[in-house]
Amino acid sequence: MIKKPRPGCSGLRINTKHKNMKKTILIVNGRQTSPSFASFSNYIAKQTRSRQLEFTIREPGNCANCDSLAPVIGQERSKNTHGFRYVEDLAEGNPADVAICDKWADVIEKLRQESRYADLMIIDPATSFKKHNEELPTSFAKEALRISECPVLIAPHIFDGIADIVFCYDGSASSVFAIRQFIYLFPEYNDKNAIILHVAEPGKPISEETNSRIHNWLKPHFASVNFHLLEGNVKDGLAAYFSGKEKLFVVMGAYGRSLLSSFFTKSAANSIIRLIDLPLFITHH
Amino acid sequence: MKKVLLVFDATNFSEGAFEYARRLNETKPILLTGVFLPMNNYASLWSYASALPGVHTIPLMEADDSYEVYRNIERFERLCRINQITFRIHKDFTDFAVTQLARETRFADLLVVSSEKFYSNLSGDSADAYLQDALNESECPVIVVPESYAFPSKNILSYDGTESSVYAIKQYAYLFPEYCSNETVLVYASVNHSAAIPEQGKMEELATQHFSDLDVFKLEFRPEKYFSVWLRDNQGAIVVCGSFGRSFTSQFLKRSFISEVIAEHKLPVFIAHKYS
């Protein structure tokens, strides 16, 4: 409804029924879709009460799902009400939207722009547009992490729910910033246990003062707060700590980007193995 | 439960800042930490005391102004107890620097500081510099409050299309979901009067997920004149801006945006910027 203009103003009034909802971007590769990724994204959208935007990237003439996506070809942003639907519409009349990007040169800039106006971006680390197999995370996933202006959630291949939240803390402002953003975006996890995994350089353990500050800050947000010190080589230590663990949600600051590749390895048969198959929440300033 | 820092210099107690925290606590209980900074003795050893049972008491300050500080702390404690606010006290003995305040803000959700009382014993420029430093170095969002104001029942989101302005709006929505159903105005102003609101569709889509009663306004004609006029119609609001509103206003407002909003319109300002 247009409001009566005030002097020097033009305006628009929007009343919605939405209350404290979020907006997530789901990066969809037009030529390779993954049911487990869709399922995880739907879970997160329901947890965060999000409106989802499917940011679908496709190269003309090279898209396995072109037929199913055909009804929305050429529309910059549209309600995905025809045929193919990658994610479910949520309750409360909040349908998933679709943004199609089929100009490769524009993809990164458009994604950056979309991330500015979103609360969370969800990506499959295997998202690739190359003809050959790539190591994980793919070059595209790394680039999406680099340019995103909102936190990025790296989807696991197999998702089995969340029991504890692990905050990787290295003493930096960035790692605390990541914790803060996670708390705000996922307030529904306040009944979970928080584990502060302190990634410390040898001989530099967490100080009692810092320990106390973190504990006092996080205690009201979670059922319990516990510390775990990880000394020595960070990559090896993280891989060892997370090995075989399930139902964890991992939160990392800026250094998460550089560590990400250590969460994956190649098998003897040259296939990619996920050493850590857990949801990874990564954000940076 | 949010952890809110109230920062006071040694000898000034801000009623405005405390009142803001009290009202926050009324809406949703907070953990209020009083940070008492010294006046002359710039030190870095923080003492720590808790009002919770079983935790140690507050050591005394040795500086000349210790009596004033002690009285302020006592007053803070008394007011917290009367208003049933869970509180803690941090005070500094030696080399205070803004970096120490930054350390406090790293592990907090919000910093509340008075625009009028913070180091008001110093001359105008020095006091402004302290406040500016505190804003620059804070790793959590900050609310700057005047001493006399109406507690906000309305949100004004200043938007200029930059990452910084969108970031601040998101942080406000995350921190205060309980105020997102208040009347909210997203306001855009540009020196280029004919310019369209940048990415208006996307911004509206994001804002309407968080704010249920949203007005979108573009200030036209002469924003430098009408912004002030328009703000006069918005008493009882809080102004949300990123990077101290520099990009929002520097093009057409000669004076500091925050100074004007706070000093002339008596409105609290919420500031969030990405710390680097």
Side-chain angles (χ1 to χ4, degrees), chain B residues 12 26 28 36 56 59 62 83 89 123 133-134 155 158 168 177 189 195 211 216 242 255 268:
Chain B
N12 289 302
E26 253 181 18
K28 209 170 179 178
F36 294 84
H56 48 76
E62 294 177 357
N83 292 288
I89 291 162
S123 67
D133 281 352
N155 309 310
S158 60
F211 301 94
V216 180
R255 282 170 297 173

mmCIF file of all heavy atoms in Angstrom, chain B residues 12 26 28 36 56 59 62 83 89 123 133-134 155 158 168 177 189 195 211 216 242 255 268:
data_model
loop_
_atom_site.group_PDB
_atom_site.id
_atom_site.type_symbol
_atom_site.label_atom_id
_atom_site.label_comp_id
_atom_site.label_asym_id
_atom_site.label_seq_id
_atom_site.Cartn_x
_atom_site.Cartn_y
_atom_site.Cartn_z
ATOM 1 N N ASN B 12 31.787 10.058 35.969
ATOM 2 C CA ASN B 12 30.453 10.378 35.470
ATOM 3 C C ASN B 12 29.575 9.141 35.425
ATOM 4 O O ASN B 12 29.990 8.096 34.925
ATOM 5 C CB ASN B 12 30.548 10.961 34.059
ATOM 6 C CG ASN B 12 31.138 12.340 34.079
ATOM 7 O OD1 ASN B 12 30.624 13.236 34.734
ATOM 8 N ND2 ASN B 12 32.256 12.507 33.387
ATOM 9 N N GLU B 26 13.798 -4.999 31.048
ATOM 10 C CA GLU B 26 12.354 -5.142 31.254
ATOM 11 C C GLU B 26 11.732 -5.987 30.156
ATOM 12 O O GLU B 26 10.856 -6.805 30.403
ATOM 13 C CB GLU B 26 11.695 -3.750 31.230
ATOM 14 C CG GLU B 26 11.258 -3.263 32.582
ATOM 15 C CD GLU B 26 10.597 -1.884 32.476
ATOM 16 O OE1 GLU B 26 10.179 -1.451 31.369
ATOM 17 O OE2 GLU B 26 10.526 -1.246 33.507
ATOM 18 N N LYS B 28 13.436 -8.120 28.065
ATOM 19 C CA LYS B 28 14.045 -9.453 28.069
ATOM 20 C C LYS B 28 15.251 -9.369 28.998
ATOM 21 O O LYS B 28 16.121 -8.513 28.783
ATOM 22 C CB LYS B 28 14.500 -9.782 26.637
ATOM 23 C CG LYS B 28 14.490 -11.244 26.308
ATOM 24 C CD LYS B 28 14.715 -11.418 24.803
ATOM 25 C CE LYS B 28 14.728 -12.856 24.429
ATOM 26 N NZ LYS B 28 14.906 -13.028 22.977
ATOM 27 N N PHE B 36 33.902 0.341 34.424
ATOM 28 C CA PHE B 36 34.267 1.646 34.989
ATOM 29 C C PHE B 36 35.700 1.977 34.614
ATOM 30 O O PHE B 36 36.643 1.341 35.093
ATOM 31 C CB PHE B 36 34.065 1.624 36.506
ATOM 32 C CG PHE B 36 32.624 1.481 36.885
ATOM 33 C CD1 PHE B 36 32.031 0.225 36.932
ATOM 34 C CD2 PHE B 36 31.842 2.598 37.133
ATOM 35 C CE1 PHE B 36 30.685 0.095 37.251
ATOM 36 C CE2 PHE B 36 30.499 2.469 37.449
ATOM 37 C CZ PHE B 36 29.917 1.219 37.508
ATOM 38 N N HIS B 56 34.062 -13.576 44.257
ATOM 39 C CA HIS B 56 34.825 -12.607 45.041
ATOM 40 C C HIS B 56 34.319 -11.171 44.918
ATOM 41 O O HIS B 56 33.581 -10.829 44.018
ATOM 42 C CB HIS B 56 36.300 -12.674 44.647
ATOM 43 C CG HIS B 56 36.500 -12.665 43.165
ATOM 44 N ND1 HIS B 56 36.391 -11.549 42.411
ATOM 45 C CD2 HIS B 56 36.778 -13.683 42.308
ATOM 46 C CE1 HIS B 56 36.621 -11.847 41.142
ATOM 47 N NE2 HIS B 56 36.853 -13.126 41.055
ATOM 48 N N PRO B 59 37.887 -5.249 44.504
ATOM 49 C CA PRO B 59 38.997 -4.572 45.161
ATOM 50 C C PRO B 59 38.831 -3.051 45.028
ATOM 51 O O PRO B 59 38.153 -2.574 44.124
ATOM 52 C CB PRO B 59 40.221 -5.033 44.379
ATOM 53 C CG PRO B 59 39.748 -6.139 43.507
ATOM 54 C CD PRO B 59 38.301 -5.946 43.304
ATOM 55 N N GLU B 62 43.033 2.655 43.739
ATOM 56 C CA GLU B 62 43.990 3.449 44.480
ATOM 57 C C GLU B 62 44.168 4.876 43.944
ATOM 58 O O GLU B 62 44.802 5.697 44.572
ATOM 59 C CB GLU B 62 45.346 2.742 44.472
ATOM 60 C CG GLU B 62 45.299 1.424 45.251
ATOM 61 C CD GLU B 62 46.605 0.687 45.176
ATOM 62 O OE1 GLU B 62 47.518 1.165 44.480
ATOM 63 O OE2 GLU B 62 46.693 -0.365 45.816
ATOM 64 N N ASN B 83 16.258 -2.869 40.366
ATOM 65 C CA ASN B 83 15.578 -3.196 39.112
ATOM 66 C C ASN B 83 15.703 -4.669 38.717
ATOM 67 O O ASN B 83 15.357 -5.044 37.600
ATOM 68 C CB ASN B 83 16.114 -2.305 37.984
ATOM 69 C CG ASN B 83 15.721 -0.859 38.179
ATOM 70 O OD1 ASN B 83 14.562 -0.499 38.006
ATOM 71 N ND2 ASN B 83 16.689 -0.029 38.578
ATOM 72 N N ILE B 89 30.674 -6.392 37.525
ATOM 73 C CA ILE B 89 31.433 -5.144 37.462
ATOM 74 C C ILE B 89 32.850 -5.422 37.005
ATOM 75 O O ILE B 89 33.507 -6.329 37.523
ATOM 76 C CB ILE B 89 31.436 -4.453 38.839
ATOM 77 C CG1 ILE B 89 30.025 -3.941 39.149
ATOM 78 C CG2 ILE B 89 32.439 -3.299 38.878
ATOM 79 C CD1 ILE B 89 29.798 -3.641 40.584
ATOM 80 N N SER B 123 37.743 18.362 27.572
ATOM 81 C CA SER B 123 37.210 19.378 26.666
ATOM 82 C C SER B 123 36.466 18.676 25.532
ATOM 83 O O SER B 123 36.666 17.485 25.286
ATOM 84 C CB SER B 123 38.352 20.207 26.093
ATOM 85 O OG SER B 123 39.140 19.391 25.265
ATOM 86 N N ASP B 133 36.858 6.804 19.494
ATOM 87 C CA ASP B 133 37.747 5.643 19.640
ATOM 88 C C ASP B 133 36.984 4.429 20.130
ATOM 89 O O ASP B 133 37.182 3.310 19.654
ATOM 90 C CB ASP B 133 38.880 5.950 20.636
ATOM 91 C CG ASP B 133 39.974 6.788 19.994
ATOM 92 O OD1 ASP B 133 39.910 6.985 18.763
ATOM 93 O OD2 ASP B 133 40.867 7.252 20.724
ATOM 94 N N ALA B 134 36.118 4.674 21.121
ATOM 95 C CA ALA B 134 35.337 3.559 21.671
ATOM 96 C C ALA B 134 34.469 2.935 20.577
ATOM 97 O O ALA B 134 34.361 1.714 20.473
ATOM 98 C CB ALA B 134 34.472 4.047 22.826
ATOM 99 N N ASN B 155 11.796 1.911 14.813
ATOM 100 C CA ASN B 155 13.142 1.716 14.272
ATOM 101 C C ASN B 155 13.314 2.520 12.986
ATOM 102 O O ASN B 155 12.457 2.452 12.104
ATOM 103 C CB ASN B 155 13.383 0.239 13.933
ATOM 104 C CG ASN B 155 13.031 -0.683 15.095
ATOM 105 O OD1 ASN B 155 13.464 -0.453 16.216
ATOM 106 N ND2 ASN B 155 12.257 -1.722 14.826
ATOM 107 N N SER B 158 18.806 3.311 8.479
ATOM 108 C CA SER B 158 19.396 4.131 7.427
ATOM 109 C C SER B 158 20.097 3.213 6.435
ATOM 110 O O SER B 158 20.899 2.363 6.809
ATOM 111 C CB SER B 158 20.361 5.163 8.017
ATOM 112 O OG SER B 158 21.403 4.536 8.711
ATOM 113 N N ALA B 168 24.640 -3.481 9.394
ATOM 114 C CA ALA B 168 24.118 -2.910 10.642
ATOM 115 C C ALA B 168 22.644 -3.266 10.836
ATOM 116 O O ALA B 168 22.222 -3.598 11.946
ATOM 117 C CB ALA B 168 24.307 -1.391 10.633
ATOM 118 N N PRO B 177 15.272 -9.068 18.185
ATOM 119 C CA PRO B 177 14.082 -9.588 17.495
ATOM 120 C C PRO B 177 12.788 -9.120 18.174
ATOM 121 O O PRO B 177 11.760 -8.961 17.515
ATOM 122 C CB PRO B 177 14.244 -11.110 17.593
ATOM 123 C CG PRO B 177 15.245 -11.352 18.679
ATOM 124 C CD PRO B 177 16.122 -10.152 18.691
ATOM 125 N N ALA B 189 18.645 8.083 1.360
ATOM 126 C CA ALA B 189 18.854 9.452 0.890
ATOM 127 C C ALA B 189 20.107 9.497 0.040
ATOM 128 O O ALA B 189 21.065 8.779 0.299
ATOM 129 C CB ALA B 189 19.005 10.391 2.079
ATOM 130 N N ALA B 195 18.184 9.349 -8.062
ATOM 131 C CA ALA B 195 18.670 7.974 -7.979
ATOM 132 C C ALA B 195 17.621 7.066 -7.341
ATOM 133 O O ALA B 195 16.962 7.449 -6.378
ATOM 134 C CB ALA B 195 19.952 7.922 -7.152
ATOM 135 N N PHE B 211 11.393 -7.464 9.860
ATOM 136 C CA PHE B 211 10.562 -6.372 10.377
ATOM 137 C C PHE B 211 9.149 -6.491 9.782
ATOM 138 O O PHE B 211 8.992 -6.432 8.557
ATOM 139 C CB PHE B 211 11.180 -5.013 10.025
ATOM 140 C CG PHE B 211 12.562 -4.829 10.577
ATOM 141 C CD1 PHE B 211 13.684 -5.128 9.811
ATOM 142 C CD2 PHE B 211 12.751 -4.377 11.879
ATOM 143 C CE1 PHE B 211 14.966 -4.988 10.325
ATOM 144 C CE2 PHE B 211 14.025 -4.228 12.398
ATOM 145 C CZ PHE B 211 15.141 -4.531 11.622
ATOM 146 N N VAL B 216 9.131 2.035 3.592
ATOM 147 C CA VAL B 216 10.350 2.315 2.832
ATOM 148 C C VAL B 216 10.235 3.737 2.302
ATOM 149 O O VAL B 216 9.265 4.058 1.611
ATOM 150 C CB VAL B 216 10.526 1.325 1.669
ATOM 151 C CG1 VAL B 216 11.795 1.639 0.885
ATOM 152 C CG2 VAL B 216 10.575 -0.107 2.193
ATOM 153 N N GLY B 242 25.426 1.934 9.887
ATOM 154 C CA GLY B 242 26.695 1.233 9.839
ATOM 155 C C GLY B 242 27.824 2.218 9.613
ATOM 156 O O GLY B 242 27.613 3.310 9.074
ATOM 157 N N ARG B 255 27.660 18.292 9.186
ATOM 158 C CA ARG B 255 28.022 17.889 10.541
ATOM 159 C C ARG B 255 27.928 16.377 10.703
ATOM 160 O O ARG B 255 27.346 15.685 9.881
ATOM 161 C CB ARG B 255 27.082 18.568 11.540
ATOM 162 C CG ARG B 255 27.431 20.011 11.779
ATOM 163 C CD ARG B 255 26.349 20.677 12.576
ATOM 164 N NE ARG B 255 25.096 20.684 11.816
ATOM 165 C CZ ARG B 255 23.950 21.087 12.310
ATOM 166 N NH1 ARG B 255 23.892 21.488 13.548
ATOM 167 N NH2 ARG B 255 22.867 21.101 11.581
ATOM 168 N N PRO B 268 18.507 7.814 20.328
ATOM 169 C CA PRO B 268 19.606 6.861 20.439
ATOM 170 C C PRO B 268 20.018 6.375 19.046
ATOM 171 O O PRO B 268 19.197 6.342 18.126
ATOM 172 C CB PRO B 268 19.003 5.705 21.242
ATOM 173 C CG PRO B 268 17.737 6.220 21.829
ATOM 174 C CD PRO B 268 17.265 7.308 20.918
#
